[in-house]
Amino acid sequence: MRALYVSVAVGEAGRSLASLAEILGQAERNNRRDQLSGVIARHDGCFLQAVEGARADIDRLLERLRRDPRHRDLRLLAFGAISARAFPQWAMARVDVASEPALAAGRALDGLAAEEAQVLLERAAARLRLAA
């Protein structure tokens, strides 16, 4: 299964590198425990995240995320079965999406359709793999 969501960052979570590092560390620990993989992007005060794994584990994660005060207005863009994971090598990786054409042209993460968001994350993840 894959869940793809966008949300609005609250307070320091939207601005601070230290806050983002804390989110990434916690997500990586929890996702390793739950055998989830995925990527997250933060851009202009929004988060975009894809998480892959077993349905029960993703359901539990989504419940935790809905209660997390570091963001609000969580909107599920896509949720469904997948034939293969797109991000299997990362329990959670941060990807940079600022250079993506849609965002560079002034669009916001929370204005993307599910397909656009998925492609954006896959391209950013491919750049991250090349840089490693």
Side-chain angles (χ1 to χ4, degrees), residues 1-3 35-38 50-54 58 82 84-88:
M1 299 294 292
R2 177 182 302 129
Q35 298 180 346
L36 297 172
S37 60
V51 181
E52 303 165 330
I58 291 177
I82 54 175
R85 292 185 186 209
F87 315 106

Side-chain angles (χ1 to χ4, degrees), residues 7-10 13-15 42-47 71-72 109-110:
S7 64
V8 177
V10 172
R15 299 181 300 272
R42 182 181 71 181
H43 180 73
D44 283 348
C46 288
F47 291 115
H71 65 130
R72 61 179 170 77
L109 287 177
D110 59 356

Side-chain angles (χ1 to χ4, degrees), residues 22-101:
E22 179 184 322
I23 290 168
L24 287 167
Q26 184 178 20
E28 186 171 4
R29 284 188 303 277
N30 291 341
N31 289 358
R32 282 191 193 288
R33 178 196 66 216
D34 297 337
Q35 298 180 346
L36 297 172
S37 60
V39 295
I40 189 170
R42 182 181 71 181
H43 180 73
D44 283 348
C46 288
F47 291 115
L48 175 64
Q49 183 174 4
V51 181
E52 303 165 330
R55 181 178 185 125
D57 296 320
I58 291 177
D59 285 344
R60 278 192 303 274
L61 171 63
L62 288 172
E63 282 306 310
R64 286 194 310 268
L65 290 172
R66 286 184 176 100
R67 293 187 310 267
D68 191 325
R70 297 174 290 193
H71 65 130
R72 61 179 170 77
D73 302 332
L74 186 146
R75 184 168 50 95
L76 206 53
L77 299 176
F79 184 81
I82 54 175
S83 58
R85 292 185 186 209
F87 315 106
Q89 62 271 55
W90 299 299
M92 184 51 58
R94 183 187 69 83
V95 293
D96 180 14
V97 296
S99 64
E100 287 295 322

